[in-house]
Amino acid sequence: MRVSVPGIPQAILNAKPSFAVRSLTEAKELLTRFIKLGNVAVLSGAGVSVDSGIRAYRGEDGRYMNPNYKYVHSFIFRRPIFYHELMDSTEKGHAFRQRYWLRSYLGYPPVRDTLPNTTHFAIAALQHSTYISNIITQNVDGLHQKALQATASVHWGSGRIQDRILELHGTLHRVRCIRGHNIDRNTFQDWLSSANPKWQEYAEELEQTGTQPRTNPDGDVAIEHLGVSYNEFVVPDCPSCSLEGHKHCVHKPEVIFFGESIPKMIKDKSYQDIENCDRLLIMGTTLATYSAFRLLKHALELKKPVMLLNLGPTRADGVPGVVKLDVPTGSVMRDVARAVIGAQANDDPVIIEMLRSGIVKPPSPDDDDRQPRAAG
């Protein structure tokens, strides 16, 4: 089966930069006017989480930070595992699952412990004050939810959050077996630890010494350069399936893999959110995946105003009807939120807390996967 990793068309990457606003002052003014009109839907991507220390998939030139994200027949470990490989019931599929879950076992704790940044909290403030109606996020890190839960849990219960924040590509924080049994990711992490005491010891050493491998945005790490073998890593069976008499159950994180279709319910909800909003703000994404790009197309078909805030080339560059702001989200969103919300930003204790919260700890500038490194 031929499955490829989506990217920005080469013609866009090679083209001269299209017109875009690059002044921070002008970008703030345009964003303020756009959001202040209200009923804004936000479509967010990996760029929003960069200030939390999670590396983006692509750099400022629009190309993948990890050059191994490509299909290579001769070296299958040089790109992500595809859906059909993870779900394969043969020994080959078992080997893919050993590879995935070992890398995820080491890579999940940094993502689990990551904190929302100033952009997450600015968006939360705008959502809490009703200027932003819904968020559709491609991110699987759960940081939009964390921002609301950290500052407004009384107002934002799990049901309301689930209704207003749609995880287009799923989440790292839940695991599901092939027969539909759901497991909290922290619980599954404990199962992996119990089944692999040597790897648990290694993971604890990494955490204690602060030498954890670089984590990819999808929550795994490259460890091939350590010379390790996946063959001895144990992926536990589902206890519920065992009680039902089933063996060799396949576990999968609730993340949409390359080659996997987005569930119809999620797709329909994403379209509904676009239809119910008055305008669409796209943030921190190149729109390389069609599941996101088609939402832009749907908004334009419905004559919705669209503003795109992203540093570097995107799939939407040059598309009529899209106002492009070529600046980082973290450089403008807190000031924009204050300007939009106005006096309430100084009077409402929840909003005050939101607009003074958030970390700014982007990955080191030299933490670039395009530098020579082990295949990941």
Side-chain angles (χ1 to χ4, degrees):
M1 179 182 291
R2 173 79 179 195
V3 180
S4 61
V5 178
I8 304 173
Q10 197 63 39
I12 293 178
L13 295 176
N14 294 338
K16 293 181 179 179
S18 59
F19 173 77
V21 173
R22 293 182 172 85
S23 160
L24 291 182
T25 300
E26 188 176 357
K28 290 176 185 178
E29 292 174 353
L30 289 172
L31 279 164
T32 298
R33 291 203 296 268
F34 187 83
I35 297 172
K36 203 170 183 65
L37 294 170
N39 196 20
V40 180
V42 168
L43 173 60
S44 70
V48 169
S49 293
V50 167
D51 279 347
S52 291
I54 298 177
R55 290 178 297 140
Y57 289 101
R58 298 167 183 83
E60 293 181 20
D61 59 2
R63 292 175 168 83
Y64 272 108
M65 298 279 280
N66 187 342
N68 299 322
Y69 268 39
K70 58 185 178 181
Y71 192 97
V72 180
H73 289 282
S74 61
F75 192 15
I76 205 161
F77 286 162
R78 288 180 64 85
R79 46 75 175 165
I81 293 174
F82 297 140
Y83 176 69
H84 70 277
E85 295 169 336
L86 188 78
M87 306 306 289
D88 188 344
S89 61
T90 68
E91 283 299 313
K92 186 176 180 181
H94 179 68
F96 275 117
R97 288 188 290 279
Q98 286 178 303
R99 175 203 167 196
Y100 175 80
W101 283 115
L102 172 53
R103 291 168 53 119
S104 180
Y105 175 68
L106 298 176
Y108 176 68
V111 175
R112 176 196 63 203
D113 299 337
T114 297
L115 299 173
N117 61 52
T118 56
T119 296
H120 292 116
F121 280 105
I123 293 172
L126 290 165
Q127 191 167 28
H128 184 68
S129 55
T130 72
Y131 289 96
I132 290 175
S133 52
N134 286 80
I135 298 170
I136 305 167
T137 183
Q138 300 170 76
N139 299 338
V140 297
D141 51 37
L143 291 176
H144 284 299
Q145 294 91 327
K146 273 189 180 181
L148 284 170
Q149 292 165 340
T151 50
S153 59
V154 173
H155 307 278
W156 289 87
S158 58
R160 188 182 183 194
I161 288 177
Q162 188 173 357
D163 182 59
R164 299 297 183 88
I165 301 178
L166 180 68
E167 295 174 311
L168 189 64
H169 296 157
T171 175
L172 283 172
H173 300 293
R174 291 189 301 274
V175 177
R176 182 189 298 264
C177 82
I178 197 171
R179 293 181 178 85
H181 300 117
N182 291 308
I183 308 111
D184 176 77
R185 182 64 174 84
N186 290 326
T187 299
F188 193 73
Q189 189 79 356
D190 291 339
W191 294 357
L192 291 172
S193 294
S194 298
N196 299 276
K198 290 184 179 179
W199 281 108
Q200 180 184 16
E201 183 179 338
Y202 177 69
E204 290 173 350
E205 180 183 344
L206 290 179
E207 189 169 355
Q208 290 169 2
T209 59
T211 56
Q212 290 164 312
R214 290 181 295 179
T215 301
N216 295 318
D218 48 5
D220 73 349
V221 298
I223 57 173
E224 285 75 15
H225 61 290
L226 300 176
V228 302
S229 170
Y230 303 107
N231 297 339
E232 296 180 0
F233 192 75
V234 178
V235 182
D237 281 336
C238 172
S240 298
C241 286
S242 297
L243 289 173
E244 296 168 0
H246 303 294
K247 295 183 179 180
H248 310 298
C249 188
V250 174
H251 281 106
K252 175 186 171 295
E254 286 198 6
V255 171
I256 302 300
F257 278 58
F258 291 117
E260 181 181 5
S261 297
I262 290 176
K264 184 179 185 301
M265 181 179 67
I266 300 298
K267 179 182 176 181
D268 290 349
K269 178 66 163 59
S270 69
Y271 272 73
Q272 183 182 25
D273 286 349
I274 297 299
E275 291 159 6
N276 290 340
C277 76
D278 290 332
R279 63 205 76 254
L280 174 63
L281 175 59
I282 304 171
M283 302 176 62
T285 175
T286 61
L287 298 170
T289 61
Y290 189 71
S291 56
F293 185 66
R294 67 187 173 194
L295 296 178
L296 163 65
K297 292 177 63 178
H298 191 50
L300 293 174
E301 289 166 358
L302 296 172
K303 309 299 182 185
K304 310 273 186 179
V306 177
M307 187 167 285
L308 170 59
L309 174 62
N310 186 74
L311 188 62
T314 76
R315 194 173 181 175
D317 288 4
V319 173
V322 178
V323 177
K324 171 78 178 292
L325 310 178
D326 200 345
V327 298
T329 60
S331 65
V332 294
M333 283 309 300
R334 179 179 277 180
D335 288 343
V336 167
R338 290 187 189 281
V340 170
I341 297 169
Q344 189 183 0
N346 299 315
D347 298 334
D348 186 323
V350 173
I351 300 294
I352 291 171
E353 181 64 20
M354 287 176 169
L355 293 180
R356 67 184 181 193
S357 298
I359 64 172
V360 181
K361 294 183 178 180
S364 170
D366 60 359
D367 188 12
D368 188 334
D369 271 352
R370 285 171 293 194
Q371 302 302 318
R373 55 163 288 183

